[in-house]
């Protein structure tokens, strides 16, 4: 920070920012200015530092756009500074995480809570409208074959968990049946764009004065792919029956939410993308996210993540596959 001219003197008022289950975020002050630090988890994974580097690049690219996001201050790529982890500093966001709690305005007014869901879609449509090449992300992902790669990629990820000690194998539902359906009903084309990759209510900060999104956060899974998977992800995680409070938490418990259909209709009003196969994207989102969350369960059994988090995310993975299977059967 000294070398970058970011204040003088000691770091003070350090406190953790809650809401996530993996990466570490801390708020602190230096020389009267607040900062938020973000780095990988305590137990770094093989790609943790690459993920943080990619987040840094995305936040840089979004700097001149209308997408609500935390403003990047500076990044450090030197792994000798902070326990082998690269990290970056960003501006604090004046907002709240609706998975944790609601201010009085939002808790007391169902119309505000209803509009919060629509605000999520507005932010998502804004992101999907960006020309990724224009903002410098032309080589950020591999959109060719993106949809074709999804099922084999995530089946391989699920199989890889068998290498972790004490993991008995997946027990999250009809994975193979869902995978077969996804391959059989895959859309034949799409228009590439920026994909957040983990878009749900807990990865957004809402304004304290209204239903608007103050910032979309947690860009670690961002790539160039089919932006409609973000919409499918939002619908998949929206008011998920029988799951713990992973995605909307306090907002879900308060009720008065926009329906899944209203979310899709709002996106259709804000975008010219073809939504005729939206159920396929919801099923893919349930499938992919369920497998990702099961990884935390497998790592917990191997002693590499907290047991409580692993158990909770295992249950959520089961509920996601339940939702995927229900949509497959309806089709």
């Amino acid at each position: 920070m000294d070398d970058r001219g970011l204040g003088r003197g000691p770091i003070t008022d350090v406190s953790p920012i809650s809401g996530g289950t993996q990466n570490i975020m801390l708020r602190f002050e230096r020389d009267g200015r607040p900062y938020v630090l973000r780095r990988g988890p305590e137990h770094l994974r093989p790609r943790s530092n690459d993920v943080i580097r990619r987040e840094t690049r995305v936040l840089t690219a979004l700097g001149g756009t209308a997408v609500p996001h935390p403003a990047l201050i500076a990044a450090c790529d030197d792994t000798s500074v902070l326990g082998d982890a690269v990290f970056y500093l960003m501006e604090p966001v004046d907002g709240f995480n609706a998975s944790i709690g609601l201010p009085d305005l939002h808790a007391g007014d169902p119309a505000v809570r209803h509009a919060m869901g629509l605000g999520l879609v507005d932010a998502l449509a804004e992101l999907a409208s960006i020309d990724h090449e224009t903002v410098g992300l032309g080589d950020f992902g591999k959109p060719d074959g993106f949809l074709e790669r999804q099922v084999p990629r995530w089946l391989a990820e699920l199989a890889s968990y068998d290498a972790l000690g004490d993991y008995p194998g997946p027990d999250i539902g009809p994975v193979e049946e869902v995978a077969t359906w996804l391959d059989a009903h895959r859309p034949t084309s799409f228009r590439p764009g920026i994909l957040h990759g983990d878009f749900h209510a807990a990865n957004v900060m809402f304004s304290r004065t209204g239903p608007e999104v103050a910032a979309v956060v947690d860009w670690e899974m961002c790539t160039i792919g089919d932006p409609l998977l973000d919409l499918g992800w939002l619908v998949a995680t929206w008011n998920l029956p029988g799951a713990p409070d992973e995605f909307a938490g306090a907002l879900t418990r308060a009720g008065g939410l926009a329906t899944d259909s209203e979310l899709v209709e709002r996106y259709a009003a804000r975008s010219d993308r073809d939504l005729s196969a939206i159920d396929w994207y919801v099923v893919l989102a349930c499938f992919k996210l369920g497998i990702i969350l099961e990884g935390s369960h497998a790592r917990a059994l191997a002693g590499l993540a907290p047991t409580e988090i692993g158990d909770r995310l295992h249950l959520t993975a089961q509920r996601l596959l339940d939702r995927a299977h229900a949509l497959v059967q309806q089709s």
Side-chain angles (χ1 to χ4, degrees):
M1 293 182 73
D2 287 344
D3 291 345
R4 302 289 184 93
L6 298 175
R8 301 176 63 184
I11 289 173
T12 61
D13 298 324
V14 182
S15 60
I17 296 176
S18 59
T21 59
Q22 305 295 338
N23 290 320
I24 294 171
M25 287 203 299
L26 299 171
R27 182 185 176 107
F28 66 89
E29 290 193 6
R30 190 186 198 209
D31 202 11
R33 180 182 180 181
Y35 298 85
V36 170
L37 178 148
R38 181 167 167 88
R39 55 151 283 173
E42 180 179 0
H43 300 286
L44 291 174
R45 303 173 196 167
R47 294 191 62 253
S48 290
N49 283 338
D50 289 337
V51 166
I52 296 298
R53 292 185 185 101
R54 285 176 65 84
E55 285 191 25
T56 302
R57 186 172 171 190
V58 170
L59 293 178
T60 300
L62 294 177
T65 73
V67 176
H69 65 280
L72 180 70
I73 298 174
C76 180
D77 202 37
D78 184 349
T79 57
S80 70
V81 175
L82 201 64
D84 296 329
V86 302
F87 63 96
Y88 63 86
L89 302 178
M90 54 185 166
E91 299 282 0
V93 176
D94 184 13
F96 70 94
N97 187 322
S99 71
I100 299 174
L102 302 177
D104 290 344
L105 169 66
H106 303 71
D109 191 341
V112 172
R113 296 194 298 274
H114 183 273
M116 290 169 73
L118 304 182
L120 284 170
V121 175
D122 290 345
L124 192 54
E126 186 65 43
L127 177 64
S129 72
I130 293 174
D131 185 327
H132 60 283
E133 294 183 347
T134 299
V135 297
L137 296 178
D139 62 344
F140 192 67
K142 300 177 180 178
D144 291 344
F146 175 79
L147 296 182
E148 290 82 359
R149 291 195 301 270
Q150 294 304 303
V151 170
R153 161 72 177 85
W154 294 106
L155 286 177
E157 179 74 8
L158 184 62
S160 74
Y161 303 156
D162 291 338
L164 293 169
D166 297 325
Y167 180 61
D171 178 24
I172 55 176
V175 172
E176 293 294 339
E177 181 182 346
V178 171
T180 299
W181 183 90
L182 285 167
D183 275 338
H185 295 83
R186 184 174 54 246
T188 57
S189 64
F190 70 94
R191 189 166 82 243
I194 301 174
L195 180 74
H196 178 274
D198 194 16
F199 193 91
H200 55 77
N203 279 344
V204 161
M205 303 292 287
F206 286 96
S207 168
R208 299 184 187 277
T209 59
E212 300 81 15
V213 170
V216 181
V217 298
D218 289 1
W219 293 87
E220 62 187 271
M221 293 174 64
C222 185
T223 189
I224 305 303
D226 188 341
L228 289 185
L229 181 53
D230 273 341
L231 179 59
W233 206 274
L234 175 60
V235 174
T237 57
W238 191 244
N239 201 15
L240 182 66
D245 297 334
E246 301 300 340
F247 307 117
L251 179 59
T252 298
R253 293 193 299 272
L257 304 183
T259 65
D260 295 353
S261 296
E262 287 176 311
L263 299 180
V264 174
E265 290 167 3
R266 181 74 164 209
Y267 193 96
R270 297 287 191 273
S271 171
D272 61 355
R273 293 181 182 271
D274 180 6
L275 301 183
S276 59
I278 188 58
D279 282 352
W280 187 89
Y281 292 95
V282 176
V283 173
L284 175 59
C286 291
F287 174 82
K288 178 176 176 178
L289 181 53
I291 289 174
I292 290 170
L293 297 185
E294 179 67 359
S296 293
H297 175 57
R299 284 187 291 275
L301 292 175
L304 301 176
T307 299
E308 183 275 331
I309 291 176
D311 290 346
R312 197 176 78 228
L313 296 184
H314 175 64
L315 175 59
T316 304
Q318 292 175 323
R319 299 291 79 81
L320 286 163
L321 266 295
D322 288 345
R323 173 166 275 185
H325 191 231
L327 285 171
V328 167
Q329 291 182 314
Q330 289 173 16
S331 71

